């Protein structure tokens, strides 16, 4: 992908009253000026106008036909989102109008922008580091107050500041170590006090470890707290999913074994996002496909934080004890909700075969079909999720790439501490220090040199951003 040409893209979703086209690059203002006609025909051309101005006029095609009445905003390098000369054309939201304006821009020298190319240029031009750039995508995708606050903190440089502080401490260690290496022929000289070095390394380890340990919470908040809905066939699992989601996401049928695969959907409950997982009904079967679905059910139990075990309250089943014996060991570190379903048919559950519930298990009587006690179930989910209040000053890791880099840097700093304890040569300790710094730099982009790596990061962005 070329970064020295001029790009354009529609930056707004279709169907709105207003549509915005962004143009960025050295020729952005000149190319826009070719198709823009100000209301005052004798006014100054766009490329002669001041930055940070909004100009009213018309977009005209080669036949001098008016395509639309627009506002053109001018931004000059380096004071723009991308750090380049940029223009934003505010049109009416008609898809036809937007397509015509895009066509004229491309005919006059622009290229259609790829996904995330504006933000990629902002990173390459030093307007933001890589972690801030990735936060832009998270902000666009945010679905709750918590995800919004985490993304805003990262985009405003909170995470970058923490990494910068760690880097400064590591550089102090490295400089002292390497100063000793420069005077290695004078064995009596020691610039780096080993106790002081160890204390700094322990501080760095504690900070990196804290950041890395926040990933589980951050990942759950960002992608939704995983809740597996399990139980025998026809217990009402799919009906519950549909009720929680508010639409028919899963097929509901009296036929046993209807759900053979895993169905997932997210629901925002009072600001907390849950990812509900409807699984195949647990039963003995000779159907190969259904058997695979049941095996997947038990895998999803391991991945979930909360388990809702749906029990048909109208049926007496010898399978209940058998399921409980398999289920309880898998749920020992999870919240377990036993939901007696179909209370619209019976107020007194027939099935009483469930063995004594473990301490972390809770019971509730519901009707998934008619919504009885569903609000109470939602409140239980919120209580068990126990998501802390997130402020814009909290630094919580949500990105897998960041987490993996932190783990590698943590391994390196552990080797530094071990090396100091074991009094190994300074050059080896210094190498581990440099490796730790390098892994931290990967997060902000200081060590990213591969174009392929950058493309992989930005390809998931939306076009126009």
């Amino acid at each position: 992908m070329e970064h020295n040409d001029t790009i354009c893209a529609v930056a707004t979703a279709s169907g709105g009253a207003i549509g915005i086209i962004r143009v960025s690059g050295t020729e952005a203002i000149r190319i826009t000026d070719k198709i823009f006609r100000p209301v005052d025909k004798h006014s100054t051309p766009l490329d002669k106008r001041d930055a940070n101005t909004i100009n009213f006029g018309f977009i005209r095609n080669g036949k001098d036909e008016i395509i639309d009445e627009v506002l053109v905003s001018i931004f000059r390098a380096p004071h723009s989102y991308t750090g380049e000369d940029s223009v934003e054309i505010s049109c009416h939201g008609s898809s036809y109008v937007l397509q015509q304006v895009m066509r004229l821009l491309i005919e006059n020298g622009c290229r259609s922008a790829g996904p995330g190319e504006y933000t990629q240029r902002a990173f390459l031009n030093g307007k933001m580091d890589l972690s801030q750039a990735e936060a832009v995508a998270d902000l666009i995708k945010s679905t709750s107050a918590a995800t919004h606050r985490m993304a805003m903190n990262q985009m405003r440089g909170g995470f970058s500041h923490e990494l910068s502080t760690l880097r400064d401490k590591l550089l102090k260690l490295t400089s002292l170590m390497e100063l000793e290496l420069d005077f290695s022929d004078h064995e009596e000289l020691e610039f780096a006090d080993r106790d002081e070095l160890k204390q700094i390394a322990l501080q760095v380890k504690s900070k990196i470890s804290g950041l890395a340990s926040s990933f589980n919470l951050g990942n759950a908040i960002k992608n939704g707290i995983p809740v597996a809905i399990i139980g025998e066939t026809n217990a009402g699992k799919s009906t519950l999913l549909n009720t929680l989601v508010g639409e028919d996401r899963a097929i509901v049928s009296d036929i046993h074994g209807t759900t053979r695969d895993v169905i997932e959907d997210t629901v925002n409950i009072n600001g907390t996002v849950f990812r509900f997982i409807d699984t195949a009904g647990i039963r003995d079967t000779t159907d190969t496909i259904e058997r695979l679905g049941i095996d997947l059910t038990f895998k999803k139990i391991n991945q979930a934080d909360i388990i809702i075990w749906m029990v048909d309250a109208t049926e007496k089943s010898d399978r209940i004890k058998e399921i409980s014996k398999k289920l309880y060991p898998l749920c020992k570190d999870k919240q377990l909700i036993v939901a007696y379903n179909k209370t619209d048919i019976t107020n007194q559950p027939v099935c009483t075969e469930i063995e004594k519930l473990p301490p972390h298990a809770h019971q509730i009587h519901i009707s998934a079909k008619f919504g009885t006690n569903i609000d109470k179930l939602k409140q239980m989910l919120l209580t068990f999720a126990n998501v802390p209040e997130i402020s814009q000053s909290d630094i919580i890791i949500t990105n897998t790439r960041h987490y993996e880099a932190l783990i590698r840097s943590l391994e390196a700093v552990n080797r530094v501490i071990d090396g100091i304890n074991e009094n190994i040569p300074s050059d080896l300790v210094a190498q581990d220090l440099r490796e730790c710094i390098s892994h931290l730099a990967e997060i902000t982009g200081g060590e990213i040199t591969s174009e392929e790596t950058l493309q992989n990061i930005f390809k998931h962005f939306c076009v126009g951003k």
Side-chain angles (χ1 to χ4, degrees), residues 162 164 194 242 252:
E162 286 293 326
S164 178
R194 290 300 185 267
N242 292 340
V252 176

Side-chain angles (χ1 to χ4, degrees), residues 27 80 98 181 190 209 263 299 323 336 413 415:
E27 298 294 306
S80 71
L98 294 170
L181 294 175
E190 184 180 87
S209 181
I263 300 173
K299 289 181 181 179
I323 293 174
L336 173 62
V413 80
R415 291 196 298 272

